[in-house]
Amino acid sequence: MNPTSNPSSHRSADARPAASRRGRILAGTAAAVALLGAGTFGAVSAAAAPAQADAPTATSVGKGLTRTTTHLTLAAATQAAQAALDAAKKADRQVSVAVVDRNGSVLVQLRGDGAGPQSYESAVRKAYTAVSWNAPTSELVGRLGQAPTLKDIPGTLFLAGGAPVRAEGAPVAGIGVAGAPSGALDEQFAEAGARALGK
């Protein structure tokens, strides 16, 4: 008997591929559902996980172990720097101005039109020197005779042009100016910036 002429042979041969296709589709769907279920379960588990009980907490220091300091505001530092730059401009001098806080960090730095490239860093160092010693840098230049190694302290510049800004007698900032033909002029402009805060 010819197998191709047997109708039952045709049915079973045709049914097998259909059954395998259905099996593959069902198996793929089941795998997808399993993956989605696992992802959802993981998300729910992660969301439901309680916070760790042993999380570190901040420690508060005891009384008498801290000190409150006064700092110049950014608005005040900007006002002082602009006043110093305006004073230099009025005198037809091209300078750079820097205002540093009590810790010597730069708050504001302005470079006037035409100011020399060296003036930028010099202004910062003068401001830092003035706030560090709570004195105009022109006065500090005189101290080098008794202590010449002062000039070796990093970040300082013992040239006239730096003025401290004080609050209740304590230094809260320094203003440095550099670029004028003389340190005396630089310091005059720096003091103009400091005076602008006393109005």
Side-chain angles (χ1 to χ4, degrees):
M1 181 177 186
N2 187 351
T4 55
S5 63
N6 185 349
S8 63
S9 296
H10 281 290
R11 275 197 303 276
S12 62
D14 290 340
R16 267 185 292 217
S20 334
R21 266 196 307 270
R22 278 195 301 272
R24 283 197 302 269
I25 291 170
L26 287 174
T29 305
V33 168
L35 284 173
L36 286 173
T40 304
F41 176 77
V44 169
S45 297
Q52 291 183 356
D54 58 350
T57 58
T59 303
S60 296
V61 298
K63 280 189 172 184
L65 299 178
T66 62
R67 184 171 69 178
T68 302
T69 57
T70 304
H71 293 269
L72 201 63
T73 65
L74 180 59
T78 303
Q79 178 184 344
Q82 191 61 58
L85 195 61
D86 290 346
K89 188 175 180 181
K90 190 174 180 181
D92 199 27
R93 302 297 178 191
Q94 292 77 40
V95 300
S96 288
V97 180
V99 179
V100 301
D101 66 11
R102 180 63 187 100
N103 301 320
S105 300
V106 176
L107 289 171
V108 177
Q109 193 162 15
L110 300 176
R111 184 174 179 182
D113 294 335
Q118 81 290 351
S119 65
Y120 204 64
E121 183 180 347
S122 296
V124 173
R125 293 174 64 190
K126 288 180 182 183
Y128 177 77
T129 306
V131 75
S132 296
W133 277 272
N134 191 21
T137 51
S138 59
E139 288 181 18
L140 297 171
V141 172
R143 299 184 192 179
L144 291 177
Q146 293 80 33
T149 55
L150 280 178
K151 67 182 183 336
D152 299 330
I153 296 173
T156 59
L157 185 59
F158 288 85
L159 294 176
V165 176
R166 301 180 182 98
E168 298 178 5
V172 294
I175 303 174
V177 177
S182 72
L185 279 173
D186 285 336
E187 199 156 306
Q188 178 184 320
F189 306 144
E191 288 171 350
R195 282 194 305 272
L197 300 179
K199 294 177 180 176

